[in-house]
Amino acid sequence: MEEPEEQPPREADTEPVVTSGASEAVPRVLPEDPQNLSDVDAFNLLLEMKLKRRRERPDLPRTVTELVAEDGSRVYVVGTAHFSDDSKRDVVKTIREVQPDVVVVELCQYRVSMLKMDERTLLREAKEISLEKLQQAVRQNGVASGLMQMLLLKVSAHITEQLGVAPGGEFREAFKEASRVPFCKFHLGDRPIPVTFKRAIAALSFWQKVKLAWGLCFLSDPISKDDVERCKQKDLLEQMMAEMVGEFPDLHRTIVSERDVYLTYMLRQAARRLELPRASDAEPRKCVPSVVVGVVGMGHVPGIEKNWTTDLNIQEIMTVPPPSASGRVSRLAVKAAALGLLGYGVYWTGRRAASLLLALPAARHCLQRLSHAWPHK
C-alpha cells in the first residue's frame, strides 16, 4: 500500500503579512475550517492576499508620478491622454502593480455615467450633439455656460470623429480594475462641471466670449492617432484648449489651474492612514499608510505636483460669482435677438405660405366667387 505524499504547508499559513510602510512581518495563523472565520479573520485574510500582490518596488509606466503624504501614504498619479489606448494600459498596469486602497479619477457626478456605458454607445453619444443635450446643458449651467459646454463638447466630438475612439477609456479601465482589488474604494475627484463652466464664463468679457465661441465653432483640423501618442506628455484635448485660451489667461485659470487645486485636494483626502479592524475593543488600534492611484489628464500632473505640499483653500474655487452688469446685458441681448429672429421667422414663413396658397388656381377661384357673392354698395 502506497504511503500518501506529504502535502506542503499552505502558503497563507506560513508566509508573513507585510503591511505597506511597516518594517516588521506579522505571521498569521488561520483556523483549519474556513467557515469558522470571524469577520475580522476574513478581512485580514483578504487584506493579506491583497498585500501579497502589492509590489514593494512596483514596475510603473513612465507616465506615473509618485507623491508621498506626510503620514507615509503614497499616491501614484497616472497622467493620461483621454483618447489613448496606451493610457488605458498604463492605468491597468499601475493598479495591478500597487493594489491601491483608493482609486481617484478626473470625473465628477455629472459625468459618472460614462463609467458604465459600452464603447459603442459612448462613441455614438460623443459624436452626436442634439437639441436635448443643449437643453440639458442650459438647464444645468445657464444659457451662457450651457452654450460654452456644448462648444467644448463639439471639440470632443471632433476628436472622437477623427479618431473613432470614445473618450474616457482610461476611467472605465480604472473602474473595472478597482472592482477587482479587495477593499478598494473608487472616488470621483473632479470639480462639478457646472461650477467650472459658470466660473469660466464669469471670468470672460463679452467680446472674449464671442471670440472664444468663434474659435470653437470653426475648429476642424485633422487629428491622427500618432498625434495623440505624441501628445502623451500633454493631453491632446487640454493642449488644444491651451492653444485656444493662450490669450484668455482667466479661462485657463478656471478650467485648468483651479481644477489642479481641486484634484490635489481630493487626492490628499484619499491618502489617509487606514485603521485595521480589531478583534475586540481591548485590542490596540493599528493604522497603516494607504496607497492611492489617481487617474488624471497629463496636463494636470504638473499642477498637482506644484500644489501637493501647499495649503489649499477649495471654498474659494467652489463659489460662483454673481453675473456682472455686462453679463446681464449680454444675456438680455441674446434673448432679444433670439426672440427677434423667431418672430421674423414666423412672419416670413407665414407670408411665404400665404403667397403660395393664394397662387393656387383653386384659391383664386374661391376668392372670385366670394367677391361676386359679396354685396356691393
Side-chain angles (χ1 to χ4, degrees), residues 92-239:
V92 171
K93 181 175 182 180
T94 302
I95 292 177
R96 290 180 180 176
E97 286 281 320
V98 306
Q99 294 290 295
D101 303 301
V102 184
V103 172
V104 181
V105 295
E106 185 198 332
L107 288 177
C108 68
Q109 64 267 36
Y110 294 93
R111 293 180 289 159
V112 71
S113 59
M114 71 162 53
L115 294 175
K116 296 184 179 180
M117 295 172 69
D118 61 86
E119 292 283 333
R120 183 177 299 178
T121 304
L122 274 168
L123 194 59
R124 185 180 68 251
E125 288 286 325
K127 289 181 180 179
E128 296 175 354
I129 300 180
S130 62
L131 180 61
E132 182 181 354
K133 287 184 179 179
L134 176 59
Q135 291 173 339
Q136 183 180 2
V138 170
R139 280 197 303 268
Q140 287 180 354
N141 308 317
V143 177
S145 300
L147 291 174
M148 179 64 69
Q149 180 179 349
M150 292 308 297
L151 289 173
L152 291 175
L153 283 176
K154 180 181 179 296
V155 176
S156 179
H158 169 62
I159 302 175
T160 300
E161 188 174 4
Q162 292 280 316
L163 301 181
V165 177
E170 73 273 33
F171 302 137
R172 289 187 291 281
E173 291 297 327
F175 183 67
K176 287 188 288 187
E177 285 300 317
S179 67
R180 299 182 180 125
V181 179
F183 311 115
C184 183
K185 298 178 182 178
F186 192 86
H187 289 182
L188 303 176
D190 202 1
R191 184 172 64 179
I193 203 167
V195 176
T196 296
F197 281 117
K198 287 176 181 178
R199 287 183 61 84
I201 290 298
L204 298 178
S205 67
F206 174 76
W207 291 114
Q208 283 179 322
K209 294 171 188 174
V210 171
K211 191 172 183 180
L212 179 64
W214 181 268
L216 291 172
C217 283
F218 294 94
L219 179 70
S220 59
D221 295 336
I223 304 163
S224 68
K225 285 194 174 183
D226 290 338
D227 293 330
V228 179
E229 298 310 322
R230 280 198 297 269
C231 291
K232 199 71 175 295
Q233 297 305 314
K234 191 172 186 181
D235 179 62
L236 179 65
L237 184 57
E238 288 166 7
Q239 179 175 343

Side-chain angles (χ1 to χ4, degrees), residues 71-85:
D71 63 7
S73 297
R74 295 185 177 274
V75 177
Y76 299 92
V77 183
V78 188
T80 67
H82 294 317
F83 294 85
S84 168
D85 289 334

